Amino acid sequence: MPEGDSLRRAAARLQVLAGQRVAVETPHPRAAAKGLAERLDGRTLESVEAVGKNLLLRFEGGLVLRSHLRMTGRWRVEAKGARRTGTPWLVLRGDAYEAVLWNGPVLELAKDGGRLSHLGPDILDSPPEFDEMIERLRGAPSAREVGDALLDQRLVAGIGNVWKAEALWDARVSPWRTLAEVADIELRATLDSAHRRMRASVEGARPLRHVYRRAGRACHRCGGIIRSQPQGEAARVAYWCPGCQRGGRQPAA
Ligand SMILES: [Zn+2]
């Protein structure tokens, strides 16, 4: 059983990733089934802390990943791209290092002092509560841009930057339109697309990406040139096709 001090040592090692935006992979099928990579990939890892027998990894947006190591679990920090054999549960890849969790029997998004109770309905729920999500989006300031609002975990929980971009493209909604400029039916189409794509990803499919990390390339739908630009307070990069996702205050090219 990892003792408290070994957990604290693991937390100390993981500090090299704190403050960095991390790429998240869940190579082990049991971890992949939890949909963690879909929710956490590309978020900033804000802090890592040992609390009791748990490691708490706090990500931007109020998401907290709880890792309990039981008898067998082990966190390692390695140089980015280090070779390894076997199938780890979780890989958090930062600028220069990656943290790798082996045999992580307990791995879940956890409540953090009730903060999760402020989260909106989960996009991965089946069926998802689209009405409640739309109600929350309508309760947000109507001048807020939809691409920014979809990442606010208090409105809808679980949509990551990749799926936000892809879902908006799918629904032909520009991320730069304000909530006031987007109809309920468009919000629902966007949320439905995010749900379907994320569920497919959790189940192991590799949905084709149409805009994410395709800036400068041609839109699969209209041939327009995909653009990218940081958006919102957190400056998450938005990807969109100005040809078929029109409207909103799009930044000058
Ligand atoms: Zn297009």
Side-chain angles (χ1 to χ4, degrees), residues 236-253:
R236 307 300 303 278
V237 177
Y239 296 85
W240 79 103
C241 170
C244 57
Q245 294 171 271
R246 294 170 180 274
R249 192 183 293 210
Q250 304 202 5

Side-chain angles (χ1 to χ4, degrees), residues 169 219 221-224 241 243-244:
W169 180 88
C219 173
R221 187 163 53 204
C222 77
C241 170
C244 57

Side-chain angles (χ1 to χ4, degrees), residues 137-186:
L137 286 160
R138 289 303 177 208
S142 63
R144 198 160 173 197
E145 289 160 349
V146 64
D148 183 39
L150 287 173
L151 295 179
D152 186 334
Q153 304 297 308
R154 296 166 299 182
L155 306 177
V156 183
I159 300 184
N161 204 36
V162 181
W163 308 102
K164 175 208 76 176
E166 296 297 325
L168 285 168
W169 180 88
D170 204 19
R172 300 174 186 251
V173 174
S174 159
W176 303 98
R177 285 160 67 185
T178 64
L179 288 172
E181 293 166 335
V182 181
D184 281 5
I185 192 169
E186 293 175 306

